[in-house]
Amino acid sequence: MLSYPTVRTSLIFLAIALVGLLFADIAITANNPWRDLGNFFLGVLTPNFFSSEGLLTALLRTVAFAFVGVTVGAICGFLLALVYRFLPVRIFCAFIRAIHELFWALIFLQFFGFHPLTGVLAIAIPYSGIFAKVYSEILEEADPEPGRLLPPGTGTIAAFLYTKIPDCWVQLRTYTAYRLECGLRSSAILGFVGLPTLGFYLETSFSQGMYSDAGAMLILFYVLIATIPLWVKPKLLPVYILGAPFFLGDGLPIVWGNVERFFTQDIVPSPLRDGEGLAGLMPWLNELMIEQALPGIWNTVILTQIALVATGILALLAFPLISNHFGGPIRRTSGHVFLVIARSTPEYILAYILLQLWGPSMLPAVVALALHNGGIIGHLIGRQTNTIRLRSDAPHGFNRYGWELVPRIYRAFLAFLFYRWEIIMRETAILGILGIYTLGFYVDSAIQSIRLDQAMVLILITAMLNIGVDILGRFIRRKLALQTMPTC
């Protein structure tokens, strides 16, 4: 078995995660975590849907930010996809998608303040990079035969519109709809930095111990995600897109002087700003790297690798919950509900909840990342097993799981897992805002102390780290000949 490259690669990543556990801060530090956990579940079972007058407004604004941000991102991403073959465009798209939406929000808050433009751009910019990459891959896989059948003299634009777009339309539409679900999650967590979406009210409820209020918000969010096929209809999309900007709210007016100061003073390294020149820049960078960047990178990598392996284990355990080859319809329905909840809950919200219940450590982050990403991969792999036809004398129980299904879906499972590696890294970095000592912790600390020059350097380091992991993940997928499958 060890002769298979996929098995050897899996064991290497497992060993790295086990070594990482020796250095990770894994603990439950709350005084009475089980009581707090019980109170939370009691709040979910007894939701208070009439607790806040602003709850419905927050829900509408969550949807509005998602629609506007995803629409702008899809349009810009499609235009970038047309020129994605050029290296500078690919580098630019890789950079903007490597920075998490919350980091973008923190940047725009510094000069736009609590204006709707902050939330829209925080979603639209990274999504433009994601859309550009995926759209370009879809367009590249289009059947070239229809283009050869066009009459001579057909213009490039006409050929593109009449050949590639019809061939790729279903894939483009499906992925864009899937990104809308991701956009709703991104929009919700923007509330944690002060924008008026669902996360703002969720954080307020938890900080005041109002678990029934928090339970109501989570249930509304799950219902919103689960019913997307019912209320997102093609005929209604123009109405949603045109109407969404009117539900973003007004916010505070933009002070354009702050924008100018941000680019000309705030993000300029302090030694250059104070006239110390390059002689003062190197000690400044050296201190920043030793005291903040390197500890942040170390903790980010450790947490990412542990969460990646935990995600893989959970996905392998979860896919039988919805597979037609195991159990009956009642069990599969329950499995679908569990996986919908797991993959619909943003990692940031789940980590925030667990931190309130268990106290600050890496454990809530590991569980949050594994549940969300494991739920996504488990759902995709479970659906894939439903297309597998077993022979009539196929074994049952664990033998069916271990010897029939897992070997058949393992390569696809690894493809999904390595695709989400970079996504897990992005989320790991941003979870530092909650108090975990990843790069996000040092970014947030620098912003809180108005050291925006340091914050921008740390955000750039985060982006480069994510790009590096993405490149490494694609290299491993190529070496193992794993098919790349885009997921949220």
Side-chain angles (χ1 to χ4, degrees):
M1 184 177 294
L2 291 177
S3 61
Y4 292 102
T6 53
V7 175
R8 290 200 303 270
T9 302
S10 302
L11 292 177
I12 290 172
F13 274 81
L14 177 61
I16 292 172
L18 292 176
V19 172
L21 284 173
L22 300 177
F23 300 94
D25 175 24
I26 303 291
I28 296 178
T29 58
N31 293 329
N32 197 336
W34 298 113
R35 181 197 62 195
D36 295 336
L37 193 62
N39 290 336
F40 168 68
F41 281 115
L42 180 62
V44 173
L45 294 175
T46 58
N48 184 6
F49 293 103
F50 306 100
S51 59
S52 173
E53 296 178 357
L55 183 56
L56 181 59
T57 302
L59 199 65
L60 288 174
R61 286 181 176 169
T62 299
V63 175
F65 275 111
F67 264 102
V68 177
V70 172
T71 300
V72 174
I75 294 172
C76 295
F78 183 79
L79 296 175
L80 289 168
L82 301 179
V83 291
Y84 197 76
R85 63 185 180 276
F86 298 111
L87 181 61
V89 176
R90 293 200 302 273
I91 294 174
F92 171 74
C93 292
F95 176 76
I96 61 176
R97 71 172 180 264
I99 300 177
H100 193 278
E101 299 91 274
L102 277 186
F103 280 147
W104 282 115
L106 289 173
I107 292 172
F108 290 123
L109 277 172
Q110 306 313 308
F111 50 86
F112 287 152
F114 293 102
H115 190 275
L117 194 58
T118 295
V120 170
L121 292 178
I123 296 174
I125 290 179
Y127 276 43
S128 296
I130 296 170
F131 274 124
K133 177 185 177 182
V134 177
Y135 282 171
S136 67
E137 292 174 352
I138 293 174
L139 293 172
E140 285 177 2
E141 294 171 1
D143 185 3
E145 189 61 29
R148 301 191 186 103
L149 302 177
L150 291 174
T154 304
T156 304
I157 297 177
F160 179 79
L161 293 176
Y162 284 101
T163 58
K164 282 202 172 186
I165 293 298
D167 186 58
C168 302
W169 178 248
V170 173
Q171 290 175 287
L172 293 171
R173 183 184 63 188
T174 300
Y175 184 76
T176 305
Y178 190 59
R179 267 291 146 189
L180 177 61
E181 179 183 332
C182 302
L184 287 170
R185 292 198 290 266
S186 299
S187 178
I189 65 173
L190 289 178
F192 284 88
V193 296
L195 294 172
T197 62
L198 210 57
F200 177 81
Y201 291 88
L202 186 65
E203 182 180 29
T204 302
S205 297
F206 260 102
S207 63
Q208 297 177 3
M210 298 185 296
Y211 295 118
S212 293
D213 298 1
M217 296 172 199
L218 286 175
I219 291 173
L220 286 175
F221 186 69
Y222 295 142
V223 171
L224 184 70
I225 296 290
T227 58
I228 284 179
L230 300 179
W231 58 273
V232 179
K233 301 291 186 182
K235 293 182 179 180
L236 294 176
L237 281 178
V239 177
Y240 293 145
I241 293 172
L242 294 175
F246 297 98
F247 291 93
L248 295 175
D250 298 326
L252 299 175
I254 296 175
V255 180
W256 293 105
N258 293 339
V259 180
E260 180 183 357
R261 188 182 71 246
F262 178 82
F263 288 103
T264 59
Q265 297 182 39
D266 292 345
I267 64 173
V268 177
S270 58
L272 300 181
R273 194 169 60 238
D274 298 337
E276 299 177 20
L278 295 177
L281 181 62
M282 294 311 297
W284 179 83
L285 280 175
N286 185 59
E287 181 181 357
L288 180 62
M289 289 295 298
I290 293 175
E291 295 184 0
Q292 300 184 50
L294 290 179
I297 292 172
W298 172 254
N299 288 323
T300 300
V301 171
I302 287 178
L303 181 52
T304 297
Q305 295 310 114
I306 295 173
L308 181 71
V309 172
T311 293
I313 294 172
L314 184 61
L316 290 176
L317 294 176
F319 83 80
L321 296 177
I322 63 170
S323 175
N324 293 336
H325 301 294
F326 301 96
I330 296 178
R331 208 284 306 273
R332 288 196 294 273
T333 300
S334 302
H336 275 292
V337 172
F338 168 73
L339 292 182
V340 165
I341 293 175
R343 71 177 189 269
S344 297
T345 309
E347 301 100 314
Y348 193 91
I349 290 179
L350 189 54
Y352 174 81
I353 293 172
L354 294 177
L355 277 166
Q356 309 307 307
L357 302 176
W358 295 347
S361 78
M362 287 187 179
L363 180 61
V366 170
V367 174
L369 291 165
L371 279 175
H372 176 75
N373 294 283
I376 291 175
I377 298 176
H379 169 74
L380 296 171
I381 294 300
R383 288 199 311 178
Q384 186 168 333
T385 62
N386 292 337
T387 65
I388 297 175
R389 298 188 63 179
L390 300 178
R391 63 184 189 275
S392 58
D393 61 340
H396 297 274
F398 182 78
N399 287 333
R400 170 174 292 189
Y401 170 85
W403 300 105
E404 288 286 340
L405 291 176
V406 170
R408 297 193 190 189
I409 53 89
Y410 198 74
R411 296 181 67 83
F413 156 75
L414 286 182
F416 283 120
L417 189 63
F418 285 127
Y419 184 88
R420 294 204 67 84
W421 190 10
E422 183 262 345
I423 298 172
I424 291 173
M425 175 74 77
R426 289 173 70 243
E427 296 294 338
T428 298
I430 202 66
L431 290 179
I433 295 178
L434 297 176
I436 303 166
Y437 292 112
T438 61
L439 279 166
F441 173 84
Y442 297 99
V443 171
D444 188 54
S445 299
I447 290 176
Q448 295 297 329
S449 58
I450 320 179
R451 289 177 282 118
L452 301 182
D453 51 346
Q454 295 186 11
M456 290 303 297
V457 172
L458 293 171
I459 288 175
L460 290 175
I461 290 173
T462 302
M464 298 306 297
L465 188 63
N466 290 338
I467 292 172
V469 167
D470 184 38
I471 294 172
L472 181 58
R474 283 189 280 113
F475 172 77
I476 293 174
R477 291 200 302 268
R478 285 198 304 269
K479 292 291 288 185
L480 298 180
L482 303 176
Q483 182 182 0
T484 301
M485 306 174 195
T487 59
C488 183

